[in-house]
Amino acid sequence: MTTVVALGGNALLRRGEEQTIAAQRRNVRAAVEAIALLAGSGGLVVTHGNGPQVGWLAVQQRDAGGSAPPLDILDAETEGMIGYLIMQELRNALPAGGQCVTLLTQTVVSPDDPAFAAPDKPIGPVYSRGRADELARTNGWSVAAAGDGWRRVVPSPRPVGIVELPVIARLVSEGVAVVCAGGGGIPVARGPDGRIEGVEAVVDKDRASALIAGGIGADRLVILTDVDAVYEDWGGPRQRAIRRISPAALRTYDFARGSMAPKAEAAADFAERTGGTASIGALSEAADVIAGRAGTAVDRDARATTYWTGVA
């Protein structure tokens, strides 16, 4: 059984947590303890987000007096940085002889994607409204409300291809655990001559993960984030955690853009197209989400939506 596990960037560097490599390493180690067991039961691919980290690097370079590199370069930097941490901890957790590799991954997007005109992907730290407005004026950023604060938002075009997909499939077939598509992969677009070039964006890692999972014939997709499940009526009087749901039923909900919406869309797409199961849950409960004891399972064969408190 081949599994693709997507680790959320906000889960690896939680809100309010100290923005250090040590903090990220602690969170990575906790995640790897749960997912390393999957390598013994079949192929394993690990993807990860980079929302907090890519913004963190941009702020660091700006504060150092230089101009921040383009987003595709920052995406590549964070893919290497976070991939290194995951690869090292995963290698330490694998059985003797187990192999793991981090692969810089390029994700193809369309230059005509409407997302370039409507940035909605949050990256970087959470600011007060006043500070966010100041940074927007100074740096030419787009900013938007994010929970109890404000964050920078950037374009998040839909992934349409993975340049290194054949390499990922080959490595998995040979029993190598692959860490790839960090931050959704490095966004690139093809020119009229077929050459690829980086673009200014951050690809949603859940959509890219679903694309990879379908492309390599994975049996399941597990999306681990900083919330414990997909909720109906989130923040409202009828809020309740969904336990099992069909892709069609999941598509009827209106989730927040830039956060739960792409996760739900990726899970529904994977389950619908492949017949495999997609799960969404908390990184802190990774083992239970993988085993079906926590989180939300998206299953093409689900005949009714069930909740952790009962049945609809």
Side-chain angles (χ1 to χ4, degrees):
M1 177 178 286
T2 299
T3 304
V4 174
V5 179
L7 306 176
N10 284 324
L12 295 176
L13 187 60
R14 301 177 183 122
R15 287 191 181 192
E17 191 170 34
E18 185 181 13
Q19 294 185 2
T20 64
I21 296 298
Q24 292 179 78
R25 188 182 290 278
R26 285 195 303 270
N27 294 333
V28 166
R29 185 173 296 135
V32 163
E33 288 176 359
I35 66 177
L37 298 175
L38 296 173
S41 61
L44 174 63
V45 173
V46 181
T47 67
H48 60 84
N50 72 343
Q53 294 87 350
V54 74
W56 176 35
L57 280 180
V59 169
Q60 278 189 323
Q61 301 205 30
R62 182 205 65 207
D63 290 349
S67 59
L71 283 172
D72 61 310
I73 300 298
L74 291 173
D75 286 330
E77 287 187 43
T78 55
E79 190 170 8
M81 176 183 72
I82 304 169
Y84 158 67
L85 295 176
I86 296 172
M87 179 178 66
Q88 188 174 79
E89 293 300 332
L90 186 55
R91 180 66 187 83
N92 289 336
L94 289 173
Q99 296 297 316
C100 177
V101 67
T102 291
L103 181 68
L104 284 179
T105 313
Q106 299 173 95
T107 301
V108 181
V109 302
S110 169
D112 299 322
D113 193 299
F116 287 107
D120 69 351
K121 178 69 173 176
I123 67 169
V126 178
Y127 301 103
S128 67
R129 175 64 185 273
R131 179 58 174 158
D133 287 343
E134 178 186 351
L135 290 170
R137 287 192 300 271
T138 303
N139 300 302
W141 290 356
S142 296
V143 296
D148 55 357
W150 286 70
R151 295 177 74 185
R152 180 187 178 188
V153 290
V154 299
S156 183
R158 186 177 300 276
V160 297
I162 304 293
V163 175
E164 288 76 21
L165 186 64
V167 180
I168 297 169
R170 173 90 177 263
L171 289 167
V172 171
S173 72
E174 294 181 0
V176 179
V178 181
V179 182
C180 62
I186 304 162
V188 297
R190 294 191 187 277
D193 58 358
R195 293 174 61 86
I196 57 176
E197 293 186 359
V199 297
E200 185 78 351
V202 172
V203 178
D204 181 82
K205 71 99 176 43
D206 299 308
R207 289 177 175 142
S209 300
L211 193 61
I212 291 171
I216 66 172
D219 302 283
R220 58 184 174 181
L221 170 65
V222 180
I223 298 173
L224 299 175
T225 183
D226 55 354
V227 295
D228 60 355
V230 179
Y231 278 77
E232 179 182 280
D233 193 32
W234 173 258
R238 297 183 61 253
Q239 174 179 303
R240 52 182 176 171
I242 298 171
R243 182 171 187 167
R244 187 168 180 258
I245 189 170
S246 70
L250 188 62
R251 292 184 192 281
T252 65
Y253 291 96
D254 184 20
F255 297 110
R257 295 176 63 192
S259 56
M260 185 53 73
K263 293 174 175 57
E265 178 188 307
D269 283 350
F270 173 76
E272 201 166 54
R273 287 187 295 108
T274 70
T277 298
S279 302
I280 302 173
L283 177 59
S284 60
E285 299 178 323
D288 288 332
V289 173
I290 291 167
R293 297 187 297 266
T296 299
V298 184
D299 188 341
R300 194 168 65 182
D301 296 329
R303 296 186 179 279
T305 300
T306 61
Y307 303 84
W308 284 105
T309 55
V311 180

